[in-house]
Amino acid sequence: MIPRVWNAAAILSLTLVSSMTVFADAPSDWKPLFDGKSLNGWEHVGPGRFVVEDGQLRTEGGMGLLWFAREKLGDCVIRVTYKTGTARSNSGVYIRIADKPSDPWYAVHHGFEVQIADGGKSARGTGSIYTFADAKSQPGKPLEWNTLEITLKGNRVSTAINGTPVADFDAGELKPQATETNGEGDPARGPRPEKGYIGLQNHDKDSTVFFKDVSVRPLTPTK
C-alpha cells in the first residue's frame, strides 16, 4: 500500500507543477507600446519633448503631444503607469484621435483627453475625461506610481486608477457641430470615431510627469 500512496502523490505533484508551468508560460494579452528603451513607433508634434531615461518616459516643456503612429486602437483597455513630478504637474492620455495629428491641438478637438492633474478639481482632475466626464473618485497617489486603465468599448469610455473606477462617459450623446473647432481652447463638442490614435501630453515647462508602462489589451482576446 505504501508504494501506491507514494505514486499517487508523485502524480499529483507532477500535475500541479505542469499546470503551473503552462500558466506561467501563457502569453499575456497586454501588448507594450513603449519598449522602455526608445521612442520607436512614436512621433512628437508641438513644443517640448519626451525624454527616455532609466526605462521611463519623462515630459519636458510643452504644450506638445507624443502619439503612437503604428496603429489606431478600437475596443480595448489601455494601461498607463505614471507618476507626477510635483503636486501640480499636468499631463494627459489622449484617445480616439481621429487622424494623424499635425499639431497638439488637433488631438484636443478630435479626440478625448484622460486627464493627469493631481491638483485639479473633479471636472478636470486625474482620471476625468477632460470637460466631458468628472472624476467621481480620487484614488491616485500624488508623486507616486499609479496605474491608469482606460476602457474603450464602442462609444463608451471609462477610467480606473489603481483598480478604482473614476469616470464614465457615453460619447454617443455627442452631436455633429455646425462649424469646425480649431486652435487653443476647450475641446470641440462633436463626436469622435470609435477607432483612433493615442497620445501622451507634455503640458508645460513647469510640469514633469513620468511614464514607465504604456500597454494595450484588446477586449476580444486574440487567438
Side-chain angles (χ1 to χ4, degrees):
M1 296 295 292
I2 293 177
R4 291 181 181 177
V5 172
W6 172 257
N7 288 341
I11 291 171
L12 177 60
S13 177
L14 287 172
T15 301
L16 289 173
V17 170
S18 176
S19 298
M20 291 173 65
T21 302
V22 170
F23 178 79
D25 293 341
S28 170
D29 285 336
W30 289 103
K31 179 176 74 172
L33 304 184
F34 168 53
D35 63 15
K37 300 176 291 186
S38 70
L39 293 178
N40 287 342
W42 297 81
E43 296 183 18
H44 190 272
V45 294
R49 62 175 183 162
F50 275 76
V51 177
V52 180
E53 59 183 16
D54 301 325
Q56 304 167 19
L57 290 167
R58 173 173 57 83
T59 66
E60 277 191 2
M63 172 185 159
L65 178 75
L66 182 72
W67 62 286
F68 189 70
R70 286 182 175 166
E71 63 179 309
K72 291 184 175 182
L73 303 179
D75 289 356
C76 65
V77 181
I78 300 165
R79 182 180 67 195
V80 175
T81 305
Y82 73 91
K83 178 174 69 172
T84 51
T86 71
R88 299 186 64 82
S89 288
N90 194 320
S91 182
V93 180
Y94 280 87
I95 56 173
R96 298 263 159 101
I97 304 170
D99 209 339
K100 297 180 178 181
S102 58
D103 67 80
W105 289 103
Y106 180 87
V108 173
H109 299 300
H110 299 87
F112 296 117
E113 179 188 4
V114 177
Q115 179 79 308
I116 296 176
D118 293 332
K121 297 180 180 180
S122 60
R124 304 188 181 198
T126 302
S128 66
I129 302 159
Y130 188 72
T131 75
F132 289 98
D134 292 3
K136 301 298 185 183
S137 58
Q138 296 180 317
K141 301 175 182 179
L143 312 181
E144 297 183 22
W145 288 109
N146 298 274
T147 299
L148 166 66
E149 290 193 353
I150 306 165
T151 301
L152 307 177
K153 187 174 183 180
N155 280 313
R156 187 164 293 279
V157 179
S158 58
T159 68
I161 297 175
N162 301 328
T164 299
V166 175
D168 186 75
F169 175 59
D170 184 0
E173 302 169 356
L174 300 177
K175 305 299 181 185
Q177 297 184 142
T179 58
E180 178 78 358
T181 302
N182 294 296
E184 299 183 15
D186 280 347
R189 313 314 288 181
R192 272 61 166 173
E194 293 186 12
K195 195 171 185 179
Y197 295 105
I198 72 164
L200 306 175
Q201 182 189 60
N202 52 299
H203 189 272
D204 62 84
K205 65 181 181 62
D206 296 319
S207 291
T208 301
V209 178
F210 303 88
F211 301 88
K212 67 177 180 180
D213 175 36
V214 185
S215 301
V216 62
R217 176 174 60 81
L219 288 183
T220 302
T222 55
K223 295 183 180 179

